[in-house]
Amino acid sequence: MTASAYVLEYHLVNYRRTWRASALSTLVLPLLTMLGFGIGVGGYVTAGVEGVDYLDWLVPGLIASAAAQTAIGESTWPVLSYFEWLKVYFGQAAAPLRVADIVTGHLAFMLFRVLISAAAFLLVAALFGTLHSLSALAVLPIAALTGLALAAPVMAYSASVTSDSYLAILMRFAVLPMSLFSGVFFPVESLGVLRWVAYVLPLWHGVDLSRAATLGVWPGWDGLWHLLYLMVWGAAGWFLAVRRFGKRLVV
């Protein structure tokens, strides 16, 4: 195996001991969200959105949002704890591992967690009868790419701070607004001129791709633009994370 694969194996072994703590929430959260927003709020949106039943329109946005939340959750407090409290990264750096191996292996584990979250949401959505095309399976790689576009730069941010107060600021002033204004619950066109802010956010691109997949709509050139945009965010975040990790680990 490559060095990064050994780092991934380390995280998977740890997860094998702790997965039960998150297994219930992984299935319950999609169920409650579908009931609360999809059926509860959807009951008042009788005309649907853009000619589509509200629940069917909402589901892909929820899947992309869940992927984003999982990616950010895995790239904030766990990363900071491996620097400040558990010192795991320092132990890995003392082994014959490069900084890039440490970052890539941990990022791979984060994408594994994102895929589990997206798959659970997809399963619940199928039980609710909101998936009408096999193209909905494309949501899984889309969720992974969306997760990478967010986890990599957030990982770099977490490696740059020494207190979890900065992570709380990130969640409050960046993650929460992104989740609300990226087209998950309503079309971004409703925002007027502020829709351009949504277009800059990686989550909106993931939402738009996921919606095209679950509705069986060919995204055209817009889909290619979404993919390239998310890949640029992921690549830039990875390079920045490697740089920030290097400054903190290499004495």
Side-chain angles (χ1 to χ4, degrees):
M1 296 192 298
T2 65
S4 297
Y6 283 113
V7 176
L8 170 61
E9 182 185 24
Y10 165 82
H11 293 289
L12 289 174
V13 169
N14 278 345
Y15 185 65
R16 187 175 63 185
R17 301 183 180 123
T18 61
W19 67 270
R20 295 174 184 82
S22 60
L24 183 61
S25 62
T26 299
L27 289 173
V28 171
L29 180 60
L31 179 61
L32 294 179
T33 306
M34 295 276 285
L35 290 173
F37 286 100
I39 296 180
V41 177
Y44 294 94
V45 189
T46 54
V49 179
E50 299 177 347
V52 179
D53 181 77
Y54 183 67
L55 182 58
D56 293 356
W57 187 89
L58 178 67
V59 160
L62 292 177
I63 295 175
S65 180
Q69 296 287 347
T70 301
I72 293 170
E74 291 290 332
S75 57
T76 46
W77 275 271
V79 171
L80 180 61
S81 70
Y82 280 8
F83 277 117
E84 289 294 315
W85 307 307
L86 302 179
K87 307 295 184 181
V88 170
Y89 289 140
F90 294 96
Q92 292 177 344
L97 292 170
R98 301 174 302 167
V99 172
D101 298 326
I102 297 172
V103 172
T104 303
H106 201 173
L107 265 176
F109 173 74
M110 294 176 192
L111 298 188
F112 168 75
R113 293 282 290 116
V114 167
L115 283 173
I116 291 178
S117 174
F121 230 119
L122 198 64
L123 174 62
V124 173
L127 295 176
F128 274 79
T130 62
L131 306 179
H132 308 290
S133 172
L134 286 176
S135 63
L137 293 175
V139 164
L140 295 178
I142 292 170
L145 183 57
T146 304
L148 175 63
L150 289 164
V154 172
M155 193 179 189
Y157 174 81
S158 300
S160 304
V161 301
T162 56
S163 169
D164 59 354
S165 298
Y166 294 101
L167 302 183
I169 293 173
L170 175 71
M171 300 295 287
R172 185 171 301 173
F173 295 105
V175 176
L176 181 58
M178 180 184 68
S179 301
L180 293 176
F181 303 112
S182 290
V184 176
F185 304 102
F186 56 87
V188 296
E189 289 74 18
S190 304
L191 296 172
V193 295
L194 291 179
R195 69 183 183 277
W196 294 102
V197 177
Y199 295 158
V200 174
L201 302 173
L203 179 55
W204 175 77
H205 296 269
V207 168
D208 214 46
L209 281 172
S210 298
R211 190 158 286 138
T214 59
L215 297 179
V217 178
W218 179 248
W221 289 107
D222 286 345
L224 179 59
W225 159 243
H226 293 325
L227 290 173
L228 290 174
Y229 191 78
L230 291 174
M231 286 189 287
V232 168
W233 268 80
W238 181 86
F239 280 108
L240 186 58
V242 170
R243 183 176 179 181
R244 297 307 306 171
F245 270 59
K247 287 187 175 181
R248 200 154 179 178
L249 294 176
V250 179
V251 180

